[in-house]
Amino acid sequence: MLLVEDEPAVRLGVRLALERAGHRVLEAESAQGAWPLLKEAEAVILDWMLPDEPGIKLLERMRQGPFPELPVLLLTARAEVRDRVEGLSRGADDYLAKPFATEELLARLEALLRRAGKRKLLRRGPLLLDLERMEASLGGRPLPLTRREFALLAFLAQRPGRVYTREELLEAVWGQDYLGTPRTVDQHVLQLREKLGEDPKAPRFLETVRGIGYRFREAG
Amino acid sequence: MLLVEDEPAVRLGVRLALERAGHRVLEAESAQGAWPLLKEAEAVILDWMLPDEPGIKLLERMRQGPFPELPVLLLTARAEVRDRVEGLSRGADDYLAKPFATEELLARLEALLRRAGKRKLLRRGPLLLDLERMEASLGGRPLPLTRREFALLAFLAQRPGRVYTREELLEAVWGQDYLGTPRTVDQHVLQLREKLGEDPKAPRFLETVRGIGYRFREAG
DNA sequence: AAGGGCTTGACCATGCCCTGACAAAGGGGA
DNA sequence: TCCCCTTTGTCAGGGCATGGTCAAGCCCTT
């Protein structure tokens, strides 16, 4: 997620909101600074006015250049119909008028990503699972998980609050014909907890339900 | 029971198996054909690949549309973890890899229906017992119970007003081959009363019937 | 051959469960 | 009413099942 915005206060606010929502954030203060970061980005939040050139100019170069598809959300101080039309016609996928609520921003971004990538994302607080790519991130930082770990975590996170026995987990994640100790599940839970930075006393995500099994903690 | 499968041979085989097991079977060969039949179905057996669109697409539309809860068993030729994760993450309740034994199918379907329908809740005034999750709450607050405590309380709460001897409780909750003092029951009743915040003089839930045993107090 | 992922068995900490002992309460008879 | 016996409440300690953790080995991929 690339954030191109020259005003520090706005940049900080948006950045924090994005990270809270599980995005990894790159920043740039100018069109020039943004250009080399584009190839890292899945989407761009672009200010209309930038110190070196109008954001819309950058957008135009992107569209005619190597990034014809990259989702762009345009931030503008002017909310006039005229600007809106201009922005969209020049290749923005959506726009948002300042001042805006961060929730609004997040919601639009979500919609944008969904429309653009049709990627299936599973978000649980700071934890983000990209089910299509089998990639995970925590608080914006990429989280390297193995296949089993990812599959187990994704399965549990699918229904927060529901408790699964080790046998159910083995069947769902390992396959119905799997033979092996139920304790294997424990081991993977251990690995996951470590990678997730869980406090052994008060896990944020993976809870043990003594005598039964494990569950993903409900939101809140 | 709605069966969505384009290959006639498979469809026939599964259909016969389902009917032998006492299910009424609706059939569809495509996603499009399946849609209007959904509202009749108690559960869906859905092929991953269909002539008009992937079964998983249909599933997605169901989940986001009018059938967020309908149990779905996904049939897939691919048994890879990746597909499994994707399928389950998109809202399937279970999956089965082709080729499969019809017995296997029936067994899973059975489990599915049981799981779907059997979210049994037991409510006794402010006390709420979720028999599936083995979770209890009192007046809206979660009530942490151990396995034994929960089993004992749930058993007594099944029939309020009925008195059980310690021997009956031991047999029902501990198992018929259990050896041990009947006084063990007392201990667990004690624990339960404490957790339930009972007034020793006038218990709201767990009553002692002197000379006989215990009972769950009748409502009112 | 090397490396990483997966699995397993072993060992250890924790907390549940059970028990035995003692205190308290109920109930019947004089 | 008082006494005594039975029944139940309560407490604390120990055994044991359960889960956490570690390390070694297997297997697959590179």
Side-chain angles (χ1 to χ4, degrees):
Chain A
M1 191 64 47
L2 175 58
L3 172 59
V4 189
E5 163 67 59
D6 59 320
E7 192 166 337
V10 177
R11 208 166 63 228
L12 180 62
V14 173
R15 184 217 185 92
L16 292 178
L18 289 172
E19 288 182 342
R20 195 153 17 86
H23 296 287
R24 196 163 64 95
V25 180
L26 300 173
E27 290 184 349
E29 302 179 24
S30 64
Q32 203 173 15
W35 191 254
L37 298 176
L38 283 172
K39 65 177 185 302
E40 312 269 353
E42 296 175 26
V44 182
I45 300 170
L46 180 61
D47 195 15
W48 180 282
M49 288 298 288
L50 291 173
D52 49 351
E53 68 173 355
I56 205 164
K57 264 283 203 250
L58 173 63
L59 175 58
E60 233 163 34
R61 272 192 287 135
M62 285 172 55
R63 290 308 186 217
Q64 289 167 8
F67 306 104
E69 298 282 332
L70 195 60
V72 170
L73 175 62
L74 203 58
L75 300 181
T76 166
R78 336 180 203 175
E80 319 235 336
V81 172
R82 183 202 153 93
D83 293 337
R84 169 182 178 175
V85 170
E86 188 184 358
L88 291 174
S89 76
R90 297 218 196 173
D93 298 283
D94 199 355
Y95 79 101
L96 191 56
K98 295 185 188 177
F100 51 84
T102 51
E103 281 71 25
E104 175 79 11
L105 176 72
L106 291 176
R108 287 180 171 266
L109 199 57
E110 194 73 32
L112 205 63
L113 288 172
R114 193 161 355 103
R115 230 184 301 153
K118 60 230 171 231
R119 290 169 52 195
K120 186 68 181 176
L121 298 181
L122 190 61
R123 196 167 315 225
R124 296 283 180 259
L127 179 66
L128 183 67
L129 300 176
D130 185 330
L131 298 171
E132 206 169 68
R133 297 189 180 185
M134 297 190 61
E135 285 173 0
S137 65
L138 180 64
R141 310 188 152 280
L143 185 68
L145 297 180
T146 69
R147 270 191 315 166
R148 283 268 195 264
E149 287 164 0
F150 185 89
L152 177 59
L153 183 58
F155 182 78
L156 285 168
Q158 207 58 49
R159 285 191 177 68
R162 161 144 189 194
V163 186
Y164 294 93
T165 66
R166 293 180 176 72
E167 284 71 22
E168 285 176 310
L169 293 172
L170 280 178
E171 186 172 328
V173 174
W174 275 256
Q176 62 264 47
D177 49 355
Y178 179 79
L179 303 175
T181 332
R183 295 303 306 277
T184 297
V185 176
D186 295 35
Q187 180 57 26
H188 287 273
V189 169
L190 179 69
Q191 293 292 340
L192 277 171
R193 280 178 173 160
E194 191 170 326
K195 289 186 177 179
L196 289 167
E198 296 275 53
D199 174 357
K201 298 295 171 189
R204 277 191 299 173
F205 303 111
L206 297 176
E207 278 185 323
T208 302
V209 181
R210 193 182 172 86
I212 308 183
Y214 296 98
R215 75 171 155 207
F216 194 93
R217 196 144 182 264
E218 290 217 65
Chain B
M1 191 64 47
L2 174 59
L3 172 60
V4 189
E5 163 69 58
D6 58 319
E7 194 167 337
V10 177
R11 207 168 62 230
L12 180 63
V14 173
R15 186 218 182 89
L16 291 178
L18 288 173
E19 288 181 341
R20 195 154 18 87
H23 296 287
R24 194 166 66 92
V25 180
L26 300 173
E27 292 185 349
E29 303 180 22
S30 65
Q32 204 173 15
W35 191 255
L37 299 176
L38 283 172
K39 65 178 184 299
E40 312 270 351
E42 293 178 29
V44 183
I45 300 170
L46 180 61
D47 194 16
W48 180 283
M49 289 299 288
L50 292 174
D52 50 350
E53 70 173 354
I56 205 164
K57 263 281 200 256
L58 174 63
L59 176 57
E60 231 164 36
R61 272 192 287 134
M62 286 173 54
R63 291 308 187 215
Q64 288 169 7
F67 305 102
E69 299 283 331
L70 196 61
V72 170
L73 176 62
L74 202 59
L75 300 181
T76 167
R78 336 178 203 175
E80 317 241 333
V81 171
R82 186 198 155 95
D83 293 333
R84 193 145 56 222
V85 171
E86 190 184 357
L88 292 174
S89 78
R90 298 219 194 174
D93 300 283
D94 201 355
Y95 72 99
L96 191 58
K98 294 185 189 178
F100 52 84
T102 51
E103 281 71 25
E104 175 79 12
L105 176 72
L106 290 176
R108 297 197 154 251
L109 200 57
E110 199 68 35
L112 203 62
L113 290 172
R114 190 162 1 101
R115 230 183 299 155
K118 192 190 168 185
R119 180 82 190 281
K120 258 197 221 158
L121 296 181
L122 196 58
R123 198 181 311 260
R124 297 284 179 263
L127 180 67
L128 186 66
L129 300 177
D130 186 329
L131 298 178
E132 197 182 53
R133 293 188 178 187
M134 297 191 59
E135 285 175 359
S137 65
L138 180 64
R141 308 182 160 281
L143 186 67
L145 298 181
T146 68
R147 268 191 307 173
R148 282 269 196 265
E149 288 163 3
F150 185 91
L152 178 59
L153 181 59
F155 182 78
L156 286 167
Q158 300 262 349
R159 284 196 184 71
R162 159 145 189 197
V163 187
Y164 293 94
T165 65
R166 292 180 177 71
E167 285 70 22
E168 286 176 311
L169 293 172
L170 280 178
E171 184 170 336
V173 174
W174 275 255
Q176 57 265 52
D177 50 353
Y178 178 79
L179 304 175
T181 332
R183 296 302 308 279
T184 296
V185 176
D186 295 36
Q187 178 56 27
H188 286 275
V189 170
L190 177 70
Q191 292 293 338
L192 277 171
R193 280 176 173 161
E194 189 170 327
K195 289 187 177 178
L196 289 167
E198 297 275 54
D199 175 357
K201 299 296 171 187
R204 279 192 299 173
F205 303 111
L206 297 175
E207 279 184 324
T208 302
V209 181
R210 192 181 172 82
I212 309 184
Y214 296 98
R215 75 171 157 205
F216 194 93
R217 196 145 182 259
E218 270 194 281

